[in-house]
Amino acid sequence: MRLDKYLAEAGLGSRKEVKQYIKKGQVTVNDQVEKKDKAQVDPLKDVVTFAGEVIKYQEFYYYLLNKPAGVVSATEDKKDRTVMDLFAEADYRKDLFPVGRLDKDTEGFLLITNDGQLAHELLSPKKHVEKEYLAQVKGVMNEQDQQTFVKGIQLDGELTLPAELMIDETDEEKQTSTVRIVLKEGKFHQVKRMVKACGKEVTYLKRIRMGGLALPDDLAKGSYRELSGEELEQLKASK
């Protein structure tokens, strides 16, 4: 890999900026000053430093974000704050993007990465990767609704894949329910529309799991962190 590409992809700056660092003798490779931006480096073997600090190369980044309500699942938006606005400057990279979308008012599990291949496999309709949601519902959901979810519901002229509706709690007096819903696809506003098709209304929605990885209890709303190696393997095993 070219030295300038290594430094740029490591987040040190743009290609133009890192070329200047190299030209000024601020970069070393294996303790030797390297002034050629085209010099080849091995990310796995060579030690590259800038101004005395080791610059580690990492091709892919994986962050788990506990999305709060009020921000949109996009890299940029002219009107609203996006999930990328929640990132600290030190962690932000232009190539990061959210895997799939959560509605603006929906909270919870959102993977942020620059690994396009993994994102494609997690979202592919052919893979049927499970997404689990916690929902507060206006109306009392029942066994008939559970059967309706299993059979599938017509949305936009298409029958949804079988989905699982788990009823955690109901309140007959307040006419409310707390449920968990497991989908194997991701149609537009699917959870809300499926619940509405049963004559009820979602008043709160949070995604709590994607594939084999659940949203950690200790990850505060609006916070994010890098996935551990074990967590990444759990996610990859889902596809």
Side-chain angles (χ1 to χ4, degrees):
M1 175 184 287
R2 282 177 52 139
L3 179 58
D4 56 351
K5 184 174 188 290
Y6 178 104
L7 293 172
E9 293 197 359
L12 191 60
S14 66
R15 275 286 186 99
K16 185 177 180 180
E17 289 171 333
V18 299
K19 284 177 186 290
Q20 289 300 312
Y21 300 151
I22 296 168
K23 187 177 180 180
K24 292 177 181 178
Q26 294 177 282
V27 177
T28 69
V29 178
N30 299 327
D31 296 325
Q32 299 296 317
V33 173
E34 179 57 75
K35 292 189 175 183
K36 295 179 181 178
D37 53 42
K38 295 180 181 179
Q40 293 293 310
V41 294
D42 184 336
L44 299 178
K45 296 180 181 178
D46 294 326
V47 178
V48 180
T49 69
F50 169 70
E53 182 179 345
V54 175
I55 305 299
K56 293 184 179 180
Y57 173 79
Q58 186 174 333
E59 184 177 8
F60 296 123
Y61 291 79
Y62 307 92
Y63 294 97
L64 178 55
L65 169 71
N66 186 353
K67 178 190 173 300
V71 296
V72 296
S73 301
T75 54
E76 56 184 32
D77 191 277
K78 292 181 179 179
K79 294 193 304 180
D80 297 307
R81 290 183 74 206
T82 74
V83 291
M84 299 313 305
D85 291 327
L86 300 174
F87 272 66
E89 186 177 347
D91 297 324
Y92 177 80
R93 293 172 55 95
K94 288 184 179 180
D95 57 353
L96 290 173
F97 60 89
V99 178
R101 287 179 176 271
L102 291 179
D103 298 341
K104 183 178 176 180
D105 61 348
T106 300
E107 301 177 354
F109 187 119
L110 190 62
L111 177 67
I112 309 289
T113 185
N114 61 342
D115 187 342
Q117 182 62 36
L118 177 63
H120 172 74
E121 292 180 349
L122 289 173
L123 297 175
S124 172
K126 296 179 181 178
K127 298 291 185 177
H128 298 165
V129 175
E130 290 186 347
K131 291 96 177 174
E132 184 174 349
Y133 298 82
L134 173 69
Q136 300 290 341
V137 176
K138 183 179 179 181
V140 177
M141 303 209 79
N142 52 40
E143 188 175 334
Q144 183 178 341
D145 297 327
Q146 291 177 308
Q147 293 172 0
T148 299
F149 268 62
V150 171
K151 292 175 182 176
I153 294 172
Q154 287 285 340
L155 297 179
D156 299 328
E158 291 185 4
L159 189 67
T160 64
L161 292 175
E164 185 178 3
L165 170 64
M166 295 167 280
I167 302 171
D168 290 342
E169 187 178 354
T170 60
D171 189 320
E172 293 285 350
E173 184 178 343
K174 294 182 180 179
Q175 287 290 291
T176 58
S177 306
T178 300
V179 302
R180 283 173 293 133
I181 295 168
V182 179
L183 304 180
K184 293 184 179 180
E185 56 190 336
K187 296 183 183 296
F188 182 67
H189 290 174
Q190 186 169 347
V191 170
K192 296 175 181 177
R193 294 163 73 198
M194 290 182 77
V195 170
K196 186 176 181 180
C198 295
K200 284 88 175 178
E201 178 187 359
V202 172
T203 56
Y204 170 82
L205 188 61
K206 178 180 182 179
R207 184 157 68 191
I208 58 175
R209 178 172 65 86
M210 189 173 194
L213 185 60
L215 183 69
D217 293 333
D218 61 354
L219 187 61
K221 195 184 303 182
S223 299
Y224 66 90
R225 63 167 172 75
E226 279 199 77
L227 291 185
S228 67
E230 182 180 350
E231 288 173 326
L232 181 58
E233 288 308 311
Q234 286 178 310
L235 199 55
K236 288 183 174 181
S238 309
K239 59 187 178 62

